[in-house]
Amino acid sequence: MQSTKSTTQLTVNGKKNSIDHHPEEPLLYVLRNQLGINGPKYGCGLGQCGACMVLVDGQPALSCIVPAGSASGKEITTLAGLQNKDGSLHPVQQAFLEEQAAQCGYCTNGMIISSVALLNQNPQPSDAEIRQGLQTNLCRCGTQSRVIRAVKKVGKEI
Amino acid sequence: MPSINRRHFIQTAAGLSIGFTLFGCFPQQEKTVAGTAPTPSTLPPRNIPDGSQIDAWLQILEDGSIRVLTGKMELGQGLTVAMQQVAGEELNTPPEKIQIVLADTGLTQNEGYTAGSRAMERSAMQVRRAAAAAKAMLVSLAAEQWELSTDQIQVQDGQVIRLDKNEKISFRELLADRQIEGTIPEDLVLKPKEDYEWVGQPIPHPDMEKIVRGEALYVQDLRFPEMIHARVLKPKVYGAKLTSWPEETQQMPGVVKVVQNGSFLGVLAEEEFQAIQALKTLGEGSEWETSRPLPKVESWADYMEEAGGPSGLNTNKATHAAVYAKPYTMHGSIGPSCAIARYEEGQLHIWSHTQGVYPLRSSISDLTGLAEENIRISGVRGSGCYGHNGADDVAADAALLAMAYPGQHIRLQWQRENEHQWEPYGSAMRMELSASLTGDGKISSWDYHLWSDGHSTRPRGNAGNLVSARYLEEAFEFNPGSRVGGGTRNSEPYYDIPGARIQDHYVKGPLRVSALRSLGAYANIFAIESFIEELSEKAGKDPLDFRIEHSSDERSVAVLQKLKELTQNEPSTEGEGIGFGFSRYKNTASYCAVAAKLRVDLSAKKITPIKMWAVIDAGETINTDGLKNQTEGGMIQAASWTLKEEVKFEAEQVISKDWAGYPILRHDAIPETEVHIINRPELPPLGGGEAAQGPAAAAVANAVYAACGKRVRELPVEAHVF
Ligand code: FES
Ligand code: FES
């Protein structure tokens, strides 16, 4: 069998990359294995858990089901790309740190990405809006009540 | 490694013999792709000293920094920060400056499994003692150098200080290329607890910043040069035999090898997505023979009674009798299990998130025929596991693949459905209760029967406990045993009840089982604490007062009283209810009382948890925020188990293959949480990671009853209440 690959220009955290990949390859594997980015995680590969989330043009996207090719020409932001240029944390990252809103932390990437997307759209979300905004994200360690506290904290500060 | 002639001993005033070894025994770390390796896991191996030795647990490095080596694993339960706190405290050094090395057969003590909430009781206490001994040695050494008495000298933040002149010398200068070693003395003086600066405080976890920044931390993030990606095709169902697989898979792009051994089938490829594509081809084109269909089960209460025999209880004279049951439930880690293995020249190295590097090593030795000394297992963080999930199995799979393709690092991550279908579940259980009350509302008789499969099939040297070993050409036998084992945990009520009778019935159930957070305690406490609330109603008593009246242990009373105080003025409107649960975990460990408030909407078929409270007494609390985090998480996880969870299967396979087939709580149903700690610094630490599971289950079921008047005795609640 012949390996037929596509080439896509991906802008990730402000950096342009030219990537060769399988035409159906989800963005997740390209980010992790070709670009060495660790934030997005493989959780289910089915769009059910949110562990793989990234922002595509500011919108939350499930990188385990989004084909890498479809992100061509768009701005991809991963968890590592949220921090400020001087390395200081984004307010949502800071709030998660202050609330210690993780245990194993495997889901935290998706929790933070969802929260950032939500707060960008709605800087002072209600309790119900926060829950709705995080509905895709599963956590098995049971840290969700801390996650909600962290998001409320940012909402208040804005 | 240290040799006798490089040793230098000095004698202290107290007669304590202390020694030092010169440095020079730290060869290079193994190379990983830039910026992707969690560092300690790539340290070279050392000759591991006996556990009585200081340097078994603690080293002062060449640059003067402090390294603690624990034989336990970080599972997200906060082990790393607790170790930093106890070591930092004894050495008067801020915890964040202490480097922690997790379990590794090349570096650390054999501390068995990290399970049962025992890491604090044992490992942390050894680290505390080693740190105190190291401090005593540093002080003695400085005393000799300065010709001062030891009470003129203090250790502070990586430095030794002489109090008379306020002069300082760093550990590095003081040790001058020597490393601390020697036996931890029996009669060690520990830092007085009233002087504690960090232990008992909510110190942040050192990994949290890496987590929020998305930096490399997990075994899933380890990347080695030229690493090969692997996937395995699991049998369709337990006991299935592979009869054929599509050979064209070998010609697929990037595929370097398809490995078949009996019914074990794996594929190796240059890129991860190529391995996934090849797996798909293997899955679609392979053929299996299945011989043992899974049974049809309508009710676990009935199934277990039929399989294990009836209790024979005569309940005619009892005030109240009831039967409870739970189905099989999953660990359900968010990250499927993963391992990296490399085999070369007879040496096998595995990076794994196992809970027990040493037991895994002896089991892999049995599996591969390699001597234990030729196998190294390095513990690296993974996704939370909550017991025996697929971690050991995936490590075994990776080992088999690595040995079939020597010389390269093989990274294997299970697919979501592998984890869901093949992890060992928490056993289904049946609980039957019967009790009598006296006229003034005291329990005068108590009969308890439980039915369960076993609760641990962890590998402890037997390859047969690693699931793939049973599918090899030369298959390993698996002996499941014939004991309920941990299923009896917390089957005895922790109340003053005269002549309580307890009996267990072993059932060999249809699904693979092993240790799930709190083992049988979850179901036993669910049953006992539901029943207690039912009895309190018959006695016409407040449910918390009824418990207090049956408790002579002051620590039980204290958590129950505090819970009452926290919840007594909590309003509930129509459709809402509050329920309670209590236990002392294992009847010897942490005390935990939980309340749950929730809303039941029968017409919309919806249960919404609103808030959960816990009061916990875990003896000495090392990290107050860590204990809160564990307790909050335990309550939320147990609420999910109780309301929603059940492993479903058909004759041909487990059909709970993913999160659609095995729903767990999502954010719309997450309760607010509040945890109150009763800290007892003067008492030993008990560990609290599993204490909330049972009480939370009962609190939820009791709250459902309080909200809508329906008593649900068979779990999950949502499948039976509407
Ligand atoms: S890994 Fe993408 S949603 Fe689960
Ligand atoms: S913190 Fe472990 S899954 Fe969320």
Side-chain angles (χ1 to χ4, degrees), chain A residues 28-29 40-53 61-66 106 136-138, chain B residues 334 336 416 659:
Chain A
L28 176 67
Y29 303 107
K41 298 274 188 285
Y42 172 75
C44 65
L46 303 163
Q48 297 173 344
C49 76
C52 62
M53 276 185 166
L62 298 163
S63 72
C64 72
I65 50 174
V66 170
Y106 202 89
T136 312
N137 299 93
L138 292 178
Chain B
I334 296 300
R416 170 47 55 202
W659 298 117

Side-chain angles (χ1 to χ4, degrees), chain A residues 101-108 111 138-144 147, chain B residues 75-76 211 218 332-335 381-386 629:
Chain A
Q103 282 181 28
C104 79
Y106 202 89
C107 69
T108 310
M111 294 286 176
L138 292 178
C139 172
R140 190 52 160 171
C141 296
T143 63
Q144 295 96 327
V147 168
Chain B
L75 313 170
I211 290 172
Y218 305 92
S333 298
I334 296 300
R381 287 190 69 154
S383 183
C385 63
Y386 332 104
N629 201 349

Side-chain angles (χ1 to χ4, degrees), chain B residues 159-173:
Chain B
Q159 295 187 311
V160 184
I161 304 167
R162 58 184 295 174
L163 297 172
D164 59 342
K165 296 191 183 160
N166 204 15
E167 257 175 42
K168 292 174 186 174
I169 179 169
S170 69
F171 287 177
R172 183 184 168 165
E173 282 170 274

Side-chain angles (χ1 to χ4, degrees), chain A residues 5 32-33 38 42-43 48 83 87 93 100 102-105 131 134-136 140-141 145-146, chain B residues 205 212-213 218 220-221 223 271-272 330-331 386 416 625 629 632 645 659 666-668 670 673:
Chain A
K5 290 216 169 183
R32 289 188 59 86
N33 300 335
N38 291 303
Y42 172 75
Q48 297 173 344
Q83 63 197 44
Q93 290 174 311
Q100 296 277 297
Q103 282 181 28
C104 79
R131 290 168 185 277
L134 290 165
Q135 189 67 355
T136 312
R140 190 52 160 171
C141 296
S145 65
R146 285 185 173 228
Chain B
H205 197 290
V212 305
R213 286 184 188 272
Y218 305 92
Q220 285 88 349
D221 301 334
R223 282 178 211 111
E271 293 176 15
E272 190 169 15
M330 256 180 220
H331 299 79
Y386 332 104
R416 170 47 55 202
D625 190 58
N629 201 349
E632 292 169 13
E645 298 185 26
W659 298 117
R666 288 188 182 268
H667 274 90
D668 60 347
I670 296 295
T673 54

Side-chain angles (χ1 to χ4, degrees), chain A residues 13-69:
Chain A
N13 300 330
K15 253 178 69 184
K16 289 200 169 66
N17 307 272
S18 178
I19 302 282
D20 291 336
H21 61 89
H22 187 284
E24 288 162 36
E25 185 164 355
L27 183 58
L28 176 67
Y29 303 107
V30 169
L31 293 174
R32 289 188 59 86
N33 300 335
Q34 295 203 45
L35 300 177
I37 288 172
N38 291 303
K41 298 274 188 285
Y42 172 75
C44 65
L46 303 163
Q48 297 173 344
C49 76
C52 62
M53 276 185 166
V54 297
L55 295 173
V56 177
D57 285 345
Q59 296 301 314
L62 298 163
S63 72
C64 72
I65 50 174
V66 170

